[in-house]
Amino acid sequence: MPSEPRGKVTINSNECKGCGLCVDACPPKCLELAPELTPYGVHPARYLGSACTGCGICFYACPEPGAITVYRMMPPPKSPATLSQEANRAATL
Amino acid sequence: MSDYRVIEAKSSVFFDRYERKPELQQQTHYCPGCGHGVVHKLIAEAIEDLGLQDRTILVSPVGCSVFAYYYFNTGNVQAAHGRTPAVATALKRSHPESIVIGYQGDGDLAAIGMSEIVHAANRGEKFTIFFVNNAIYGMTGGQMAPTTLVGQMSTTTPWGRRPSNEGFPLHMAELLATLEAPVYIERVALCDNKNIMRTRKAVRKALELQRDAAGFSFVEILSPCPTIWKMTPAEARNWVAEKMLPVFPLGVLRDRKLPPSGNAVPPQHSVAELLELAAPGEAPSTLQPPRAPLPGLAVNIAGFGGQGILLLGQVLAEMGLRAGQEVSWLPSYGPEMRSGSAHCHVCLANERVGSPLVEHPQVLVAMNEPSLRKFAAQVAADGLVLYNRDALPAGFSVPQARVYCVPASEIADRLGAAKTANMVMLGALLELTHALPAETALAVLQTKVRNPALLEINRHALDAGAERIRKAVPPAILTTA
Amino acid sequence: MRQLCKGNVAVVKGALLAGCRAYYGYPITPASEIAEAAAELLPQAGGTFLQAESEVAAINMVYGAAAAGLRVLTASSGPGISLMQEGLSYLAGAELPCVIVDVGRGGPGLGNIAPEQGDYFALVKGGGHGNYRNLVLAPASVQEMADLTMLAFDLADRYRNPAVVLTDGYIGQMMEPLELRAHDVPQPEKPWAVCGTPETRQNLITSIYMEPDVLEAHVRKLEAKYRQAAQAEARYELYCADEPEVLLVGYGIVSRVLRSAVDLARAQGVRAGLFRPITLWPFPSQALARAARRCQSVFVVEMSTGQMVEDVRLALDGRVDVEFFGRVGGNVPLAEEVCQELLVRMGMTVDWGV
Ligand SMILES: Cc1ncc(C[n+]2csc(CCOP(=O)(O)OP(=O)(O)O)c2C)c(N)n1
Ligand code: SF4
Ligand code: SF4
Ligand code: SF4
C-alpha cells in the first residue's frame, strides 16, 4: 500500500474563482483546475488526491478567504505518561 | 486511518457568510487573482492570532476595497476618498485601547490623501496603515495612479506614463521614512510564495507594534491587479516581480523605538473648576448692586496697536459688568491689528445692548491723530473727546463735542511705564463721566496685572489721568483753538 | 458667575458643559480663538485637542470621533467651511452627530476677515453633495454662543446629524457677559458607535449603499428625520411684534442692529417689529407667516446680497410684500442706515430731530 500523503486540501467550489494561483503555487503540483464549470461559470481548483504535503502554500496564494482548507496528518497522540515525563524534564532544565 | 488536523482555513475574523454583500455572499467582490483578497487574509489571520478581533476597528477607503467591511467581523468605519488616516486618527485617540487599521489603495493614499497620510505618520498616530500599491486606479476602471510606472499604459496615459507630463512614480514608503515619528515601515510584495510569507510577517509585526502602543506602523504591499493590467492572475503576479520590484525595492525602511521626548502633561481639572462655575446652591456671583442707577455709556476707543486700546475697552466693560450693567466690547480684529490701527466699541447699558456697534459714541478716546481725524465726526452731540496730546492739531476742531486734551503717553512716560497711557486715559474718562466708580477699575486691573509693582504704576496712571481732568483748562478754550 | 467672555471662547465653554471632549480643527480668522480655547481647556478636562493639517483632515477627524461615539466640535470660517463640505455630506450620510461652528467672514474667495453672512446658502441649503440637511443655529450674543452650542450638541445627537452654529466675525470676536451654570448633561447612549469593544464589534459606519432601492430607503429615512426636525425644532425670537405695520427680519449680529433700528423707527412713529430666526434650518416659516400676517411689508436685512430672504419669501408665499437690504464685504449695516432705508421704502422722509 502506498504511504498516505502528509497533507490534504479541500476546495470550496462556492468560493473558488478559478484564478489558478493555487495551482501555480503548489510545489508538488497536486492541484488542477477542474474541466467542469461551477454555477458561477469558472473552472474551480481541485486536489488531485495525492502528494499534498500540507505545506499551506496554496492557502496563502489564494485570494479568497475560505476557498481552500489545508489539513496535515498529525502524529499519534502522546500517552499521558510521556507527557508528564516531558514536563519533568522541562522543569529540571 | 490517520488523523488530519486543519492547519490553514478561513479565519474566524471573517464573517461566515458575507451578509452585507447584496449577492454572491460566499465570495468576495474582488476579481479572480486580485491582491486585495490575499492582503485581507493576512490581516484577518494576524488579528485572530493576536487575539485582537474584539478591539479592532477597520477603516476602509474608497477604491476596490471600499467594501472591506463586507468581510471583516470587526468594528468597521468607511471613510471618504483619501481620508482614512484622518478618520483613524480620531478613532484611535477616542478609544486608545482599540486596534485601528487603515486600509488604503494608491490613489486613495498617495494622490487625494497624500496630506492626511503624511501628517498622521508625522504625528506618530498609534495605528497601522496597510497600503495596497497596484500602480493603477482599479475601482474607477484603470486610470493612472501616482504609483503608475513610467511607460505604463492606463486609460488616462494612453501613450504610457510620460515623466514629462505626469512625473515619476511616488515612493510612499521612502517618503514616510524621512519622518521622525513612524516606528515601522516596510515594503513587501505579493509576487511569489516566499514574498507572500514575508508580507504575512510584516502584517503581523505591524499589528503587534500597535498592540504594544509603539507608534505609527506602515506596510506597503505591491499587489497584482490582473483585471486592469489585462493579464492572467499568474502573469500579474510575475509582473509585480519583474516590473514593480525594480522601481519599488522591498525591505524594512524603519524599525525602531520612538525616542522618549519631553511631553508636558496638562494639569487635570473638573469642568466646574475650568469654567469657574458657581457650586450649586452658592449665591450667584459677587455683584455689588449699583448705588444709584448708572448712566449708560457708549465709548469708542481708537489708536494704534500696542497702546492698550483693546485692554482699556475690556477693563471698562468688565467694570460695567461688575456694577451689574449690561455690557458689550467689540474689537477691530485681524490684519487691521497688524497694520497698526486698533479700535474697540464699548457699550455700558442698563438693559440688553442692541447693536454693539457704536455709531455715535458719547465718548471717543483718540490715542493718536489719525484716530481723532477718523472718528471725531461720529461723536454724539454734546459728547466727549479725550485726545492723547497737549492740544488738538492746528486747524482741527470737533464742534459738536467737548474736547479734553490729556497727553496720556507723556504722563505715562513720566511715570516710567509707557504702556500705562491707556490707564491714564481711563482715569480721565472716569473722572469726567462718573460713569463707574473708579475703585472698580483697580479691582479689575488686579485680575489682569499680576505683578504688584506694575499694578502700583497702573494705580498711579489712573490717578494721574483723573488729576489732569481736575486741573484741566476748560475745554471750550481748546475746541476753538 | 457672570463673566466677560469672547463669543468664540463661549463656544468652547458651552461645548465643555455639553460634555464635548474632542476638538479637531484648523486655524482661520475670525474663528481661531475657538481652536485656541479648545487647545487650552479640553486637555485639562481629559479631552482631546488636535490641530489638523487642513479643514479637510479636520472634518474627517470629526467623522472619526463621531463614529467613535464622542461629542466632537470643530470650527472654521468661509474658506475652511468650503473645504469641509465633502465631510459634511459624509457625516450626514453616515448619520454621525457633531457640531461645526462657522464664524462667517467676507467672501467669495479669500474675501476678507470682516463679518459677513454669505455662508447661508452653503450651510442652510447644503453645499456638499446629495440629499441632506444641516441643522443650523444662529446665535446673536456671546451668551447664545454658549447656549446654542450646547443645544447644537443635543440636536445633533437627537437627529444623528451634523449641527451647525452659523455666526459671524463680530459675534465671535466681541465680549459680553456670559453666565454658565453647572448642570448634569445626560450623555445619550450611542449603541451604534464603533468603539473597538466586543459590544460594538458588529457596528458599521458607512454612507455607501450601492443598490438603488437600498439607497433610496436610506435617503427616505433621512428625509423623514428632517421632516420631524422641521416640525419640532424651529426657533425664533420676536421684539415689539404685536401688530407691527412693518416686520424687520434678520439673524445673528444683524438682529442686534435691527433691534436698535426698531427703536429708532418707533421713535419716528413707525410701528416696527423684529422677527429673529434662531434656527435657520429648520427655518421658522410658520411662525414668521403668523407674525407677518397683518404687516404691510416685511423688511429683510442681511450681511449678504440676499440669501435668507429667499426663505422669507417662501414662508410668506407672496402674501406680504418683502423688501431686502443687504451690506457685504464686511460692512455691518448701522441701525440709522437701516432705519433710513426702511423709511424711504415706506415712502416716508426721515427726521432725526437734530
Ligand atoms: C472625492 C472623490 N474623487 C474621486 C472618486 C472616484 N474614485 C473612486 S476610487 C478611485 C481611485 C481608487 O484607486 P486606488 O486607491 O488605487 O484603489 P484600487 O481601486 O486600485 O484598489 C477614485 C478616483 C471618489 N470616490 N471621490
Ligand atoms: S498544501 Fe501545499 S502541497 Fe498541499 S495542495 Fe497546498 S500547496 Fe500543494
Ligand atoms: S487560488 Fe483560490 S480562487 Fe484561485 S483557483 Fe485556487 S482555490 Fe480557486
Ligand atoms: S480591478 Fe484590480 S484591484 Fe480592483 S478588484 Fe479587480 S483586480 Fe482587484
Side-chain angles (χ1 to χ4, degrees):
Chain A
M1 209 176 90
S3 71
E4 256 184 294
R6 278 180 288 147
K8 70 168 187 184
V9 295
T10 57
I11 287 153
N12 182 339
S13 61
N14 264 327
E15 306 194 29
C16 172
K17 288 177 173 159
C19 70
L21 286 173
C22 56
V23 177
D24 271 18
C26 172
K29 298 290 167 217
C30 61
L31 297 171
E32 66 170 3
L33 291 182
E36 69 272 8
L37 291 172
T38 67
Y40 306 117
V42 303
H43 297 285
R46 71 176 176 199
Y47 178 40
L48 289 171
S50 62
C52 171
T53 62
C55 68
I57 284 174
C58 55
F59 178 83
Y60 290 103
C62 173
E64 285 300 309
I68 300 181
T69 308
V70 180
Y71 302 80
R72 204 179 285 168
M73 194 160 64
M74 287 297 138
K78 290 171 181 165
S79 71
T82 15
L83 275 178
S84 71
Q85 259 177 17
E86 278 174 13
N88 282 341
R89 216 179 310 130
T92 54
L93 274 177
Chain B
M1 254 303 278
S2 301
D3 207 7
Y4 281 103
R5 188 159 330 151
V6 173
I7 59 150
E8 304 292 355
K10 180 173 175 177
S11 166
S12 64
V13 166
F14 287 119
F15 289 112
D16 252 358
R17 218 185 142 78
Y18 310 131
E19 287 175 2
R20 286 174 175 155
K21 198 167 173 255
E23 51 183 13
L24 305 184
Q25 295 179 338
Q26 293 293 111
Q27 304 187 333
T28 67
H29 68 290
Y30 297 112
C31 308
C34 172
H36 280 303
V38 177
V39 180
H40 282 25
K41 283 171 80 170
L42 299 179
I43 294 173
E45 182 192 71
I47 293 172
E48 180 179 347
D49 291 353
L50 300 175
L52 301 176
Q53 182 174 13
D54 278 341
R55 291 164 62 192
T56 296
I57 303 175
L58 181 76
V59 188
S60 46
V62 177
C64 282
S65 46
V66 62
F67 299 121
Y69 60 79
Y70 284 172
Y71 313 114
F72 285 88
N73 185 354
T74 61
N76 279 282
V77 176
Q78 202 291 311
H81 197 20
R83 316 304 175 210
T84 286
V87 173
T89 292
L91 283 166
K92 184 71 182 186
R93 286 178 180 237
S94 301
H95 298 296
E97 288 306 309
S98 63
I99 300 293
V100 176
I101 300 175
Y103 190 106
Q104 298 188 265
D106 43 47
D108 197 79
L109 181 137
I112 194 166
M114 176 60 106
S115 171
E116 283 78 7
I117 185 61
V118 170
H119 286 277
N122 191 47
R123 290 189 301 262
E125 298 292 346
K126 293 186 169 57
F127 57 71
T128 305
I129 293 285
F130 295 118
F131 168 42
V132 178
N133 176 359
N134 57 13
I136 200 80
Y137 283 14
M139 187 188 217
T140 41
Q143 299 81 11
M144 185 194 73
T147 48
T148 292
L149 306 185
V150 170
Q152 185 184 339
M153 301 289 194
S154 77
T155 57
T156 50
T157 54
W159 304 284
R161 181 178 192 157
R162 295 170 296 157
S164 62
N165 203 48
E166 288 94 16
F168 294 87
L170 268 167
H171 293 75
M172 288 308 302
E174 286 82 353
L175 203 149
L176 296 180
T178 63
L179 305 173
E180 296 279 319
V183 296
Y184 177 54
I185 299 174
E186 180 166 4
R187 184 185 287 118
V188 290
L190 303 178
C191 53
D192 53 43
N193 300 339
K194 199 176 77 203
N195 277 292
I196 289 173
M197 295 322 270
R198 286 207 179 122
T199 305
R200 177 173 179 255
K201 229 176 93 205
V203 166
R204 183 174 300 247
K205 173 158 182 172
L207 291 181
E208 279 168 353
L209 286 167
Q210 181 173 178
R211 179 197 58 195
D212 301 340
F216 179 80
S217 48
F218 180 89
V219 181
E220 173 172 345
I221 302 156
L222 306 182
S223 174
C225 171
T227 303
I228 304 285
W229 296 353
K230 298 192 176 66
M231 294 176 195
T232 66
E235 286 166 354
R237 221 158 250 203
N238 291 336
W239 197 83
V240 173
E242 283 163 22
K243 303 289 186 194
M244 290 184 80
L245 290 198
V247 179
F248 298 110
L250 304 185
V252 177
L253 287 105
R254 171 68 55 81
D255 188 3
R256 69 172 183 215
K257 283 211 171 66
L258 259 188
S261 55
N263 280 320
V265 181
Q268 294 300 298
H269 298 287
S270 72
V271 171
E273 286 164 353
L274 279 174
L275 302 183
E276 298 171 65
L277 299 179
E282 192 178 301
S285 80
T286 52
L287 288 184
Q288 312 126 2
R291 280 150 288 187
L294 289 162
L297 195 64
V299 183
N300 191 349
I301 305 163
F304 64 84
Q307 284 185 315
I309 306 290
L310 302 186
L311 181 66
L312 168 48
Q314 272 183 32
V315 172
L316 199 57
E318 183 100 36
M319 288 172 69
L321 180 79
R322 290 189 183 214
Q325 290 186 303
E326 292 298 331
V327 302
S328 67
W329 171 90
L330 181 70
S332 56
Y333 60 86
E336 216 182 323
M337 272 153 53
R338 259 154 271 150
S339 73
S341 78
H343 66 89
C344 65
H345 297 186
V346 177
C347 293
L348 307 175
N350 292 308
E351 47 201 69
R352 185 165 150 181
V353 177
S355 172
L357 269 146
V358 177
E359 295 171 37
H360 298 297
Q362 287 154 295
V363 181
L364 167 67
V365 178
M367 293 297 280
N368 63 8
E369 190 180 324
S371 309
L372 178 74
R373 290 186 182 275
K374 189 167 173 190
F375 296 112
Q378 294 172 8
V379 176
D382 296 328
L384 276 174
V385 176
L386 285 165
Y387 179 49
N388 182 19
R389 288 301 286 271
D390 261 333
L392 284 177
F396 187 85
S397 69
V398 193
Q400 84 279 23
R402 288 177 293 148
V403 178
Y404 284 83
C405 289
V406 179
S409 294
E410 278 171 38
I411 295 173
D413 274 347
R414 259 181 270 131
L415 289 172
K419 292 253 175 225
T420 59
N422 55 351
M423 291 304 123
V424 174
M425 274 304 191
L426 181 61
L429 186 151
L430 294 174
E431 180 66 25
L432 265 173
T433 60
H434 298 287
L436 289 159
E439 59 272 27
T440 23
L442 217 69
V444 171
L445 277 174
Q446 264 161 0
T447 65
K448 304 205 181 281
V449 183
R450 301 277 171 216
N451 177 338
L454 209 59
L455 191 65
E456 197 48 31
I457 298 181
N458 274 287
R459 179 209 297 278
H460 289 314
L462 284 166
D463 289 346
E467 185 64 17
R468 173 80 191 188
I469 295 301
R470 285 194 288 269
K471 292 189 182 156
V473 194
I477 299 166
L478 285 171
T479 44
T480 52
Chain C
M1 193 173 95
R2 263 156 65 101
Q3 44 180 287
L4 195 63
C5 185
K6 209 171 230 237
N8 280 343
V9 177
V11 164
V12 178
K13 293 186 171 182
L16 258 179
L17 275 181
C20 165
R21 295 292 179 276
Y23 184 98
Y24 298 90
Y26 189 82
I28 184 168
T29 309
S32 294
E33 294 84 359
I34 301 182
E36 288 164 358
E40 187 193 332
L41 294 176
L42 260 55
Q44 294 192 61
T48 303
F49 168 85
L50 183 60
Q51 179 168 327
E53 59 271 26
S54 69
E55 290 84 354
V56 173
I59 196 70
N60 284 283
M61 290 172 184
V62 167
Y63 182 97
L70 270 67
R71 283 195 155 181
V72 55
L73 177 71
T74 190
S76 190
S77 186
I81 294 293
S82 294
L83 284 183
M84 289 186 180
Q85 293 286 13
E86 177 199 40
L88 279 169
S89 168
Y90 277 77
L91 283 155
E95 294 191 87
L96 291 178
C98 60
V99 175
I100 298 110
V101 183
D102 178 5
V103 187
R105 58 186 248 176
L110 214 42
N112 64 23
I113 56 164
E116 216 189 63
Q117 296 181 324
D119 295 353
Y120 185 95
F121 283 160
L123 288 167
V124 177
K125 298 294 173 186
H129 55 287
N131 291 291
Y132 77 97
R133 290 289 191 177
N134 299 312
L135 299 152
V136 185
L137 302 169
S141 66
V142 169
Q143 183 68 45
E144 282 192 350
M145 285 289 257
D147 294 348
L148 294 189
T149 298
M150 293 169 72
L151 176 63
F153 276 106
D154 286 341
L155 293 180
D157 280 337
R158 195 174 310 154
Y159 294 96
R160 279 190 65 181
N161 198 73
V164 174
V165 176
L166 178 56
T167 179
D168 66 80
Y170 266 181
I171 301 280
Q173 294 295 324
M174 67 192 262
M175 289 179 109
E176 282 187 327
L178 171 68
E179 178 126 44
L180 297 171
R181 305 198 170 282
H183 67 157
D184 281 331
V185 201
Q187 298 293 310
E189 293 283 314
K190 298 185 177 178
W192 46 263
V194 178
C195 307
T197 56
E199 308 76 54
T200 63
R201 196 178 85 194
Q202 74 284 354
N203 289 350
L204 164 67
I205 298 296
T206 186
S207 62
I208 185 170
Y209 299 90
M210 287 303 276
E211 300 290 296
D213 288 343
V214 180
L215 180 56
E216 180 164 42
H218 175 65
V219 172
R220 294 283 178 225
K221 177 180 154 207
L222 300 184
E223 194 188 13
K225 216 166 66 170
Y226 296 139
R227 212 176 303 119
Q228 196 190 330
Q231 288 293 319
E233 307 300 348
R235 288 166 169 80
Y236 60 94
E237 188 192 21
L238 292 165
Y239 176 61
C240 294
D242 42 334
E243 308 286 318
E245 52 187 317
V246 57
L247 190 64
L248 278 65
V249 183
Y251 68 94
I253 185 76
V254 169
S255 70
R256 300 277 297 261
V257 175
L258 295 191
R259 216 180 153 87
S260 299
V262 164
D263 293 342
L264 290 175
R266 290 205 159 229
Q268 298 286 317
V270 174
R271 269 201 336 278
L274 169 65
F275 183 91
R276 166 171 87 97
I278 295 174
T279 51
L280 299 177
W281 201 92
F283 193 75
S285 302
Q286 286 176 9
L288 175 60
R290 234 180 294 124
R293 209 171 31 206
R294 297 214 176 77
C295 290
Q296 283 158 25
S297 68
V298 163
F299 190 56
V300 179
V301 181
E302 291 177 62
M303 296 191 307
S304 81
T305 50
Q307 302 196 7
M308 180 189 68
V309 66
E310 293 191 359
D311 282 330
V312 173
R313 291 207 165 99
L314 280 173
L316 300 179
D317 204 14
R319 287 188 295 267
V320 187
D321 175 45
V322 176
E323 295 278 331
F324 175 76
F325 177 63
R327 291 297 306 270
V328 289
N331 284 312
V332 180
L334 301 177
E336 268 176 21
E337 181 187 8
V338 170
C339 183
Q340 177 139 5
E341 190 67 31
L342 174 71
L343 296 181
V344 166
R345 301 216 190 172
M346 293 179 76
M348 296 170 65
T349 46
V350 193
D351 173 15
W352 293 122
V354 253

